[in-house]
Amino acid sequence: MSLFLKQILLFSLLPISLFCLLLPLHHFHTHTPYFPHNPTFSNPISHPPRIAYFITGTKNDGPRIFRLLQAVYHPRNYYLLHLDQFASTKQRLNLALQVSSVDVFVAADNVNVIEKGDAVNEEGSSALGLVLHGAAVLLKWKKDWDWFVNLDASDYPFIKQDDFLHILSFVPSNLNFIEYNKNVSSEEYQKSVEVIVDSRLYILLRGKMFVGDRKRALPSAFKLFMGSQHVILNRNFVEYSIQGWENLPRLLLLYFSNTRSSHKGYFQTLACNTKEFSDAVINSNLRFINSDNTDRILKREVAFVGNVSENSPLLDMIDAHILHRGRGMVSPGGWCLGSSNWLSDPCYEWGDPGVLRPGPAAKGLEKHLMKTIKDMSIRPSRCDHQLSLIT
């Protein structure tokens, strides 16, 4: 196995609880990436932000994750890829080999594949453990990223990374994009009062989730919020979620470690019960759940689409008309200096990764976000209000 491939298989997620998230990184040799500065182009943003992506999948998802990686790639960002324990060691190794075969990934040194996958139950608390652990690894791996985004193999970008980075350059850096429900549905209430034990939180691959006989009351120390498991978080909030320098994160981890689908409520509840963060929550994760109506999708002002099937023609449409990405190539951006045509790779030659060339697709989403932020400033409260039960 080559030295670089050993670097790609960088992290091993050992048996964890929700309270033992930070692991020391394996020692590894680093190489200096070389991206020549090109003074021909100038960028109005002196330092565009960096995004840390945590991309996850399961058995046979390696090719989908690799395609998603190519579509969402930018040399300024960082990418941590995870295949859970249902994927074989061979599938994990093949994904690492694919990553190591792309010159720009090697030069930028910003993509890594987790060597050992976690056992994950989407209906239990192990799914939250995985997201928190991935975020913790990213915090220790790189110190200079600004935003955390979690994606799975069925997601796909709906705008170029130049557009996304350009938009994030102008929005307030204290925002968090967390979709939450203003009312607790009867189904969410039932999940909240049940007490579960997710054996996969302790790395038992085939273990079942046990449900207790007795119910518990809704908590009185905090208000419960539920929503989507996909989030876009600023680094300060991620550090607060992981390191828990106040009591609330630890209290919520105690509660959600025995809660169904806890990854759909932890970040929502933490943000909306913390004064420092509750006034800066955007009730959106900038995603649209895929439908068969392509015209409807094209009218959405979002950064990602979700639940896209592996062979959906929507993927090819996005590649051709939005990302302008050739088959087997990374999505081009301002850092790509090669000729732009469908047969050649414009990113074969590299320029300054700090150069962004946002296109017209960024304008709609930017306008939508600016309006949302303006509306937030005139509301008496954000997500911090009493929830009611929908029966």
Side-chain angles (χ1 to χ4, degrees), residues 242-261:
I242 300 296
Q243 298 170 2
W245 54 78
E246 294 180 348
N247 187 53
L248 182 60
R250 294 188 290 270
L251 178 65
L252 293 186
L253 287 177
L254 276 171
Y255 180 83
F256 281 106
S257 64
N258 298 115
T259 304
R260 282 183 182 269
S261 304

Side-chain angles (χ1 to χ4, degrees), residues 312-342:
S312 172
L314 177 64
L315 298 176
D316 293 332
M317 185 277 290
I318 294 174
D319 281 343
H321 300 291
I322 296 177
L323 303 179
H324 305 292
R325 186 181 79 90
R327 186 175 297 275
M329 304 176 189
V330 299
S331 294
W335 59 279
C336 303
L337 302 181
S339 59
S340 298
N341 62 67
W342 193 250

